[in-house]
Amino acid sequence: MKPLKIAMMSMTHGHTRKYYQTLMDNPKLDWVAVATANDEVKEIFLNSVKGIPCYDSELEMLDAHPEIEAVVLASENSEHLRQMKLCAERGIHILSMKIPTFDMEEYDEMIKLVDENNLVCQIELEMHYNPVIARLKELVKNGEIGKIKSFNATNITLSPVWAFPWQGVPEKSYGKRVSIKEGDSRFRGGALCDHPHIFDMIRHMTGSDFESIYAEVAPNIRPDIEEEDMLSVIGRMKDGTIFSLDPSWSKMEERLKVPGPGWEVFPKRMEVNITLNGEKGTIMTDCFGPNVYHNGCPNDRYTVQYTYFDEWIGLIDEFVDNIRNNKTPLINLKWHKKTIEAMNAVYESISTGKAVKL
């Protein structure tokens, strides 16, 4: 198979550096270039990766490399539609960061761009390629616990705001400035916008869609950010599955500009735990359990070394296969739109104090 000529844009997203090893080492890829959004991320990239041309402008990169076949949009949510238009004009396939947009009119425009230009647009929800999740999917598919009756999940992390400041700006994260609820000084765009994975995963596991959602927001444990950092969501799927979801920034962090050892205050910087209760039994999963911990540097406390790089390999392998064989991605725009609609319903429920029917 001919290697896919791939590039990256912006480099401002928290997942950017997760791609470096895969893009360098995967024989299915030919990493052509990157375009950085500002001097700060450019410096970080140049200190991390050698030998890949780096441009200050997306247009400059695209004009210099007409051979580019696909682009990773490693950018803030508010930039995705603009960048998708650049790609569509040139017939370039797209791997978008995990929230394409919260604006449903923009979402429809994205779908139209992709369909009219016969592009592959895959949404980066890497948890689908986590080996623990793969095993969980297998057990569910084989009927080990029977029909799913309830789904409980946490997707709790530290906050990326300090290293990736756009995630603390409502206009860039949520797409516009919308009050979280009347009388509250915070705005939409915080932890919920960072954690679509479990909303996506329950749809995938049950094969059903959301019927009703009720959500509440907690007081912030970081009083100096203007978005929500802790919330809780409950509801019911159309197939009757009930759920409880915690998509919070409830792990505390050191405020480092470049994430690394010592960023986390607790040993684990993220915990994605899923409990499925079925008619015949229960499965409990710790999706990021297989890690290495050590004492000492830099702050004389436990530090975690993650060992889940498999996710990014599987995600990229599927992306290449979709392009080369003209397949529809597992997480495509049309399918994923209902996940984003549900997340908007979470914000609506917080704002109104009522359950929302979908």
Side-chain angles (χ1 to χ4, degrees):
M1 182 185 293
K2 180 183 175 184
L4 181 72
K5 294 188 180 298
I6 195 166
M8 296 184 75
M9 286 183 180
S10 293
M11 321 297 277
T12 54
H13 196 279
H15 285 179
T16 298
R17 288 186 285 277
K18 304 282 182 65
Y19 286 91
Y20 291 170
Q21 184 178 336
T22 300
L23 266 59
M24 290 291 285
D25 296 345
N26 193 328
K28 298 176 183 178
L29 301 176
D30 178 4
W31 191 4
V32 174
V34 303
T36 54
N38 55 58
D39 290 341
E40 188 173 357
V41 295
K42 180 178 181 179
E43 181 181 3
I44 292 170
F45 173 75
L46 292 175
N47 288 334
S48 304
V49 177
K50 307 299 180 186
I52 302 298
C54 180
Y55 296 86
D56 296 326
S57 158
E58 298 154 352
L59 285 173
E60 183 185 7
M61 178 186 75
L62 294 173
D63 288 344
H65 297 279
E67 72 274 21
I68 291 172
E69 299 176 88
V71 165
V72 179
L73 305 185
S75 54
E76 47 267 57
N77 300 338
S78 58
E79 292 295 299
H80 291 160
L81 177 58
R82 180 187 64 80
Q83 291 178 333
M84 285 187 185
K85 288 178 179 178
L86 286 178
C87 293
E89 289 168 1
R90 294 162 175 79
I92 295 172
H93 302 288
I94 300 161
L95 180 57
S96 171
M97 292 293 107
K98 53 194 174 184
I99 301 290
T101 179
F102 280 96
D103 185 312
M104 291 296 101
E105 289 186 3
E106 285 192 355
Y107 216 115
D108 288 340
E109 189 172 354
M110 291 175 177
I111 292 171
K112 185 178 179 182
L113 280 170
V114 168
D115 287 350
E116 289 183 348
N117 292 279
N118 194 30
L119 301 179
V120 168
C121 181
Q122 182 172 321
I123 312 305
E124 182 236 56
L125 282 163
E126 79 288 351
M127 192 173 296
H128 283 275
Y129 309 91
N130 178 291
V132 178
I133 288 290
R135 175 62 173 157
L136 179 59
K137 288 180 180 179
E138 180 183 32
L139 291 171
V140 170
K141 183 179 179 181
N142 293 341
E144 295 293 332
I145 62 169
K147 185 180 184 301
I148 297 172
K149 304 296 288 183
S150 69
F151 181 103
N152 173 269
T154 62
N155 187 174
I156 56 175
T157 69
L158 38 67
S159 172
V161 166
W162 323 112
F164 308 100
W166 68 265
Q167 294 205 234
V169 180
E171 292 88 343
K172 294 184 178 182
S173 180
Y174 185 70
K176 54 188 174 182
R177 205 169 186 82
V178 180
S179 175
I180 198 90
K181 62 179 178 178
E182 187 176 355
D184 198 306
S185 62
R186 293 169 296 173
F187 299 88
R188 299 179 183 185
L192 179 64
C193 292
D194 194 28
H195 294 150
H197 307 82
I198 50 180
F199 292 85
D200 193 75
M201 198 58 65
I202 186 173
R203 293 184 61 221
H204 186 81
M205 291 288 182
T206 62
S208 184
D209 285 315
F210 292 91
E211 178 183 272
S212 61
I213 284 177
Y214 177 77
E216 291 191 357
V217 66
N220 273 24
I221 58 176
R222 301 168 184 82
D224 50 342
I225 68 172
E226 60 177 0
E227 303 164 332
E228 83 284 353
D229 66 7
M230 293 203 297
L231 65 157
S232 182
V233 185
I234 59 173
R236 185 184 298 273
M237 304 298 284
K238 290 181 178 178
D239 71 346
T241 302
I242 58 173
F243 61 84
S244 172
L245 308 176
D246 180 357
S248 299
W249 286 334
S250 52
K251 294 286 191 183
M252 290 301 290
E253 68 284 328
E254 299 286 354
R255 299 183 176 190
L256 304 181
K257 282 194 171 184
V258 180
W263 194 26
E264 57 280 293
V265 173
F266 297 101
K268 295 178 76 171
R269 67 185 61 159
M270 75 172 75
E271 290 194 51
V272 179
N273 302 302
I274 298 175
T275 300
L276 295 180
N277 292 300
E279 293 176 336
K280 301 191 321 188
T282 298
I283 304 173
M284 302 177 70
T285 59
D286 178 356
C287 301
F288 295 100
N291 300 307
V292 176
Y293 299 88
H294 63 86
N295 263 327
C297 294
N299 295 321
D300 296 320
R301 62 172 182 246
Y302 269 143
T303 301
V304 64
Q305 176 63 50
Y306 282 97
T307 56
Y308 60 89
F309 199 76
D310 317 60
E311 296 179 350
W312 308 93
I313 296 171
L315 183 149
I316 286 290
D317 281 351
E318 187 200 325
F319 185 51
V320 174
D321 184 52
N322 289 331
I323 292 171
R324 290 292 182 243
N325 295 299
N326 196 29
K327 294 180 179 179
T328 300
L330 175 67
I331 312 302
N332 60 79
L333 282 170
K334 290 178 182 176
W335 189 87
H336 187 59
K337 183 181 177 183
K338 289 190 176 182
T339 295
I340 304 301
E341 288 174 342
M343 295 173 74
N344 274 323
V346 170
Y347 279 130
E348 183 183 346
S349 178
I350 289 171
S351 177
T352 62
K354 299 177 181 179
V356 176
K357 293 280 188 180
L358 287 97

